Amino acid sequence: MGKATFRGGIHMYDGKDLSKDKKTVALRPKGDVVYPLSQHIGAPAKPIVEVGDKVLGGQRIAEATGFVSANVISAVSGTVKAIEKRLTVSGALCDSIVIENDGEFTKIEGYGEKRDYTKLSKEEIRQYVKDAGIVGMGGAGFPTHVKLTPKNDDAIDYVIVNGAECEPYLTSDYRMMLEETERLVGGLKIILQLFDKAKGIILIEDNKPDAIEKISALVKEEPRITVKVAKTKYPQGAERQIINVATGRKINSSMLPADAGCVVNNVDTVISVYMAVAESTPLVRRIITVTGDAVANPQNFSVCTGTSYLELIEAAGGFTTEPEKVISGGPMMGMALFDLDIPVTKTSSALLAFAKDEAVTLPTSPCIRCGRCVSVCPSRLVPQRMMEYAESFDNEGFVGLDGMECYECGTCTYVCPAGRRLTQAFKQTRRSILDERRKK
Amino acid sequence: MKNKLNVSASPHIRSKETTATIMRDVMIALAPAALFGVFQFGFRAFMILLLSVTSCVLSEYLYKKLMKIPTDGYECSAMVTGLLLGMNLSANVPYWIPVLGGVFAIVVVKMLFGGLGQNFMNPALAARCFLLISAGRAMTDFAVERVDAGNTWKMIQSGAAGLDGLSSATPLAAIKAGESASLYDMFFGFTGGTIGETSAFLLLLGGLYLILCRVISIRIPAAYILSFVVFMGLFGGHGFDAEYLAMQVCGGGLMLGAFFMATDYVTSPITPSGKIVFGIFLGVLTGIFRVLGGSAEGVSYAIITGNILVPLIEKVTMPRSFGKGGKANV
């Protein structure tokens, strides 16, 4: 059988060798921990503690406001030091709860207690997921309890676990698939309990043969779960692509995965679901890859949310040279940072430090219409034309070319031989169009 | 370390390929056929290639200086234009022809329309057609024996079996006039013609190199050659006679045109299906020109006519974006 894949996309140097063979190291924060109230898509959470309050590990410190929102839970015990604006990954200031870590890591009562999830009702499972503050940990941060609550449970045919990890340099999902395989499969079984008619698919790229082998061996006896191997290609892990690869179905920007009968969750999210439901452990942990050619010891860390990036760099042996660029997330879609005193959030997947910044130093020359952007675009757009509209601020023309179907994966910009900043222009244009629509 | 980090929008990594590396690959792919032309037609051919490349590069540089356009970050595209123009000229043309052609290609066809990426016609071909119209006699003089190194060539040639026709214009013209030609010679290039078009074999090799390096897609050359073969089979007057069709494919500028000129990024459609439409259009048009036209050739005119239709072809072949049209479950 041929390996599943999709049209478009690219292969690039993946840099995963830097960190993929090292065991994940657990890291406890030393200094203060910071919890932004908006680590997810939807309404920001509302603080339920006050400055001076004592909190314990696993204690809820901010509550979801509305359905599409998520709780925030403290990973450490200590005292609430401040509730103030702090810098986040996007470069914006966000209301955050700062906790002075007492270093004891005292947990709330019942933390880590085992539960037999097979005896739980659907409502109980959803409540546990919601209480645990779980959001999509692949990057978007969409609240998981919302994803797991579609209009009609029986309309869900597939529960897909996104183990593609197509971003270069990232190995955290890979390490989890190897190190926490039981939790991963357990998490998928819990989600399948919600959808009686659904089949579980764990999709993994073929550059992770040992993960494929280990998971396949574990799900051999599970009639509802299959492992699907896909050809390694970026952006396979994008939601629209992975649904297409796993099931052959297609969705566009105006549809949700549930419209195609699918629920998609990334590896870390599924593991968090398991921990929340079967081990009474809310989302206070994040697996993060710290890597790049400027990092002394590239590796994965299992860290408490709220830990400062500075502590991660220190734990990885510091910088070997002064980095030109530091990125939160993968090199294709991550955010460049100008300050490292930023907390790990639920959606932080990686911290990369590069000695040379190839993107900024690349000169831009005129488009030669080579068509590489067209042939690699996973959304089958014509970036070359979209760029003409974007550069002349013609939002209508941009929308006419289905520009809003672009999800800013960066593939066109990666391949452009003229070094044109296509994705950047599309981001700006898309923001301005969304702003216009909101005003109306 | 604060304020020392670069901040930019994603993606933060780039492919190593640049416009200059692409142009370099095209020149590598053209090199075997060009060298063969020099070997075949002698020093004069070399001079013509040199003059044509120099003329293109220099006129671009001077134009940019004159117009105060920055000249840094040189991307070698004028070299490719010059090389293609030279390869499209007979070794017998007077030396002012490549010089004038280079100036016309770069200044009139390329720079006046906005420079790299903005020209709507292939500069080298437009210059060739301009020269064909304004200096027709000199341009179609393909006789080989006047060439300096012709004697060397004749010696090599007499080693191969049963060669003739070198003193006649081109094999295509010979076929058109009802004479015969050797397919073997036409395939390997032991015939008359312009400097770069004679060896179908070496051009094919260069074309394959570009396809394997993913510099060009196979869509345009494949659609072009296939549709041309079908057209000639139907309307060429010889039916689907394999030898006749193979000669038509190897003869004239078809190989050079299909792999190196029709695939010019700037003047061919950017959409995947548009490339196929474009290729078929060129194949049919070349066939019409060869069958009905006054000259034995038709590739240059077919391609520049096709160039003009590119915006239209793109407009009707815009791909449907992912997941649009149709239901979620299909």
Side-chain angles (χ1 to χ4, degrees):
Chain A
M1 198 188 87
K3 283 167 187 162
T5 191
F6 62 98
R7 226 166 82 180
I10 42 172
H11 300 270
M12 71 272 268
Y13 167 70
D14 70 3
K16 291 186 194 278
D17 284 343
L18 290 176
S19 58
K20 79 188 239 293
D21 296 323
K22 287 184 215 153
K23 218 170 156 7
T24 306
V25 173
L27 195 68
R28 283 185 154 182
K30 292 188 213 125
D32 293 351
V33 290
V34 177
Y35 291 99
L37 295 173
S38 187
Q39 307 185 18
H40 49 262
I41 290 179
K46 196 175 103 237
I48 51 170
V49 290
E50 277 168 26
V51 176
D53 283 1
K54 293 259 179 241
V55 297
L56 296 172
Q59 183 181 328
R60 193 181 304 170
I61 53 175
E63 211 154 49
T65 51
F67 185 55
V68 184
S69 183
N71 297 331
V72 177
I73 289 112
S74 174
V76 302
S77 54
T79 319
V80 178
K81 198 172 160 186
I83 298 177
E84 61 186 19
K85 292 216 184 282
R86 283 294 185 105
L87 193 64
T88 56
V89 163
S90 67
L93 294 169
C94 175
D95 285 321
S96 307
I97 300 174
V98 183
I99 294 172
E100 190 175 353
N101 179 10
D102 64 9
E104 305 280 328
F105 297 94
T106 323
K107 303 287 197 241
I108 53 164
E109 214 178 303
Y111 185 95
E113 255 173 35
K114 296 270 186 292
R115 275 193 213 110
D116 181 359
Y117 61 85
T118 54
K119 298 212 170 70
L120 296 175
S121 73
K122 292 180 183 182
E123 286 66 36
E124 283 171 312
I125 291 175
R126 286 188 174 117
Q127 194 57 47
Y128 284 132
V129 170
K130 187 169 185 228
D131 289 347
I134 299 175
V135 302
M137 294 164 82
F142 191 75
T144 303
H145 66 271
V146 182
K147 242 185 209 184
L148 297 182
T149 318
K151 275 184 221 122
N152 177 5
D153 288 353
D154 288 340
I156 298 300
D157 305 317
Y158 296 102
V159 174
I160 301 166
V161 179
N162 187 345
E165 195 162 59
C166 57
E167 274 266 14
Y169 292 93
L170 271 57
T171 54
S172 55
D173 286 350
Y174 168 75
R175 288 311 308 176
M176 283 301 102
M177 286 191 266
L178 284 183
E179 293 175 24
E180 301 196 353
T181 324
E182 288 78 13
R183 277 179 172 163
L184 176 68
V185 174
L188 178 55
K189 280 157 84 175
I190 290 170
I191 299 173
L192 283 171
Q193 236 170 279
L194 299 173
F195 307 109
D196 298 324
K197 296 195 173 147
K199 281 194 167 69
I201 299 176
I202 304 175
L203 193 129
I204 311 170
E205 289 190 343
D206 60 4
N207 61 353
K208 309 173 187 69
D210 28 2
I212 295 167
E213 200 178 315
K214 192 156 181 204
I215 296 175
S216 301
L218 202 66
V219 300
K220 223 176 1 183
E221 306 296 317
E222 304 288 342
R224 291 178 70 189
I225 301 176
T226 50
V227 172
K228 193 152 188 166
V229 181
K231 264 200 238 168
T232 303
K233 194 155 65 162
Y234 179 86
Q236 189 124 238
E239 197 166 63
R240 289 177 224 166
Q241 260 53 55
I242 204 160
I243 288 174
N244 186 231
V245 173
T247 69
R249 299 177 184 188
K250 287 177 187 171
I251 61 166
N252 60 41
S253 66
S254 56
M255 299 160 75
L256 290 172
D259 295 331
C262 295
V263 169
V264 186
N265 283 295
N266 111 312
V267 167
D268 221 0
T269 316
V270 176
I271 291 174
S272 298
V273 167
Y274 181 83
M275 289 169 75
V277 176
E279 297 176 350
S280 317
T281 309
L283 178 49
V284 292
R285 174 192 89 152
R286 170 80 230 190
I287 312 298
I288 184 163
T289 310
V290 181
T291 187
D293 58 1
V295 173
N297 303 309
Q299 58 188 302
N300 283 289
F301 292 107
S302 164
V303 299
C304 295
T305 50
T307 311
S308 167
Y309 278 173
L310 288 169
E311 288 191 36
L312 296 186
I313 296 286
E314 194 190 314
F319 293 125
T320 49
T321 62
E322 185 98 331
E324 261 185 20
K325 192 174 245 182
V326 177
I327 302 157
S328 174
M332 291 300 288
M333 289 183 81
M335 303 261 199
L337 304 177
F338 55 89
D339 188 345
L340 296 186
D341 192 12
I342 282 174
V344 170
T345 65
K346 297 170 184 177
T347 55
S348 313
S349 54
L351 184 59
L352 310 180
F354 292 121
K356 283 267 163 287
D357 181 4
E358 33 181 309
V360 165
T361 49
L362 190 72
T364 301
S365 55
C367 170
I368 52 168
R369 294 172 36 91
C370 67
R372 278 169 180 68
C373 53
V374 181
S375 57
V376 298
C377 179
S379 297
R380 291 180 209 162
L381 303 172
V382 185
Q384 186 261 343
R385 281 290 188 81
M386 284 157 58
M387 187 66 172
E388 287 174 3
Y389 287 119
E391 282 184 326
S392 54
F393 304 104
D394 182 348
N395 287 356
E396 228 167 86
F398 187 84
V399 172
L401 289 173
D402 280 346
M404 297 311 277
E405 292 298 310
C406 168
Y407 54 81
E408 302 164 11
C409 67
T411 313
C412 51
T413 312
Y414 178 87
V415 297
C416 182
R420 301 182 72 70
R421 278 98 165 121
L422 297 152
T423 311
Q424 182 175 345
F426 299 161
K427 278 178 199 240
Q428 284 171 349
T429 309
R430 284 167 43 83
R431 297 295 172 280
S432 99
I433 293 169
L434 290 175
D435 284 352
E436 260 173 39
R437 285 184 187 170
R438 229 169 269 140
K439 270 180 216 152
K440 274 173 197 164
Chain B
M1 76 169 297
K2 229 176 179 179
N3 299 328
K4 281 188 183 169
L5 292 169
N6 281 344
V7 177
S8 67
S10 60
H12 306 290
I13 48 173
R14 296 301 179 92
S15 133
K16 298 270 176 284
E17 217 175 15
T18 64
T19 305
T21 66
I22 291 171
M23 296 300 162
R24 189 201 61 204
D25 275 336
V26 174
M27 283 190 278
I28 291 173
L30 281 169
L35 289 174
F36 181 80
V38 171
F39 157 75
Q40 186 180 11
F41 300 116
F43 181 70
R44 234 193 123 76
F46 173 75
M47 279 310 289
I48 284 166
L49 292 180
L50 188 71
L51 281 173
S52 144
V53 171
T54 315
S55 164
C56 284
V57 173
L58 210 62
S59 46
E60 181 174 68
Y61 179 78
L62 291 177
Y63 183 91
K64 281 185 173 174
K65 277 279 162 215
L66 207 66
M67 295 293 155
K68 301 191 171 62
I69 301 168
T71 47
D72 53 332
Y74 189 64
E75 81 306 275
C76 309
S77 68
M79 286 190 203
V80 174
T81 303
L83 191 56
L84 281 172
L85 172 65
M87 290 172 77
N88 269 295
L89 297 174
S90 158
N92 286 351
V93 296
Y95 286 142
W96 58 266
I97 288 259
V99 176
L100 176 68
V103 173
F104 183 84
I106 295 299
V107 175
V108 179
V109 188
K110 186 177 164 190
M111 300 314 286
L112 286 185
F113 285 91
L116 182 64
Q118 300 299 321
N119 49 295
F120 68 97
M121 257 187 204
N122 185 319
L125 277 185
R128 183 185 190 222
C129 294
F130 163 72
L131 293 169
L132 271 172
I133 295 165
S134 41
R137 282 281 293 271
M139 286 294 289
T140 48
D141 176 11
F142 294 115
V144 171
E145 66 266 3
R146 273 174 48 196
V147 175
D148 303 340
N151 292 333
T152 333
W153 165 239
K154 270 184 184 160
M155 271 158 57
I156 297 158
Q157 174 233 352
S158 54
L163 299 188
D164 59 17
L166 268 189
S167 55
S168 73
T170 66
L172 273 192
I175 296 168
K176 187 144 186 161
E179 293 165 30
S180 67
S182 153
L183 178 60
Y184 171 87
D185 292 345
M186 290 175 75
F187 183 67
F188 288 102
F190 303 121
T191 62
T194 67
I195 297 169
E197 76 180 11
T198 50
S199 178
F201 170 69
L202 292 176
L203 288 168
L204 194 63
L205 218 59
L208 285 178
Y209 171 79
L210 289 186
I211 290 167
L212 291 178
C213 290
R214 294 176 181 251
V215 171
I216 60 171
S217 104
I218 197 170
R219 290 166 198 264
I220 292 175
Y224 189 172
I225 293 171
L226 281 178
S227 62
F228 172 74
V229 166
V230 171
F231 183 90
M232 290 307 274
L234 294 175
F235 305 107
H238 294 257
F240 283 90
D241 171 24
E243 196 183 355
Y244 170 75
L245 291 177
M247 281 184 182
Q248 282 293 342
V249 170
C250 295
L254 186 68
M255 284 293 185
L256 186 60
F259 285 102
F260 295 96
M261 317 279 261
T263 55
D264 171 32
Y265 291 148
V266 179
T267 54
S268 64
I270 201 167
T271 57
S273 47
K275 287 185 200 296
I276 292 177
V277 173
F278 182 67
I280 293 174
F281 179 77
L282 296 186
V284 172
L285 211 57
T286 306
I288 292 175
F289 288 160
R290 281 199 185 172
V291 174
L292 302 175
S295 134
E297 251 301 14
V299 173
S300 306
Y301 290 119
I303 294 176
I304 60 168
T305 313
N307 289 162
I308 297 168
L309 288 179
V310 165
L312 186 65
I313 295 174
E314 274 185 6
K315 196 173 175 177
V316 297
T317 55
M318 288 299 273
R320 179 193 279 169
S321 62
F322 185 85
K324 277 279 168 106
K327 276 194 239 138
N329 290 359
V330 290

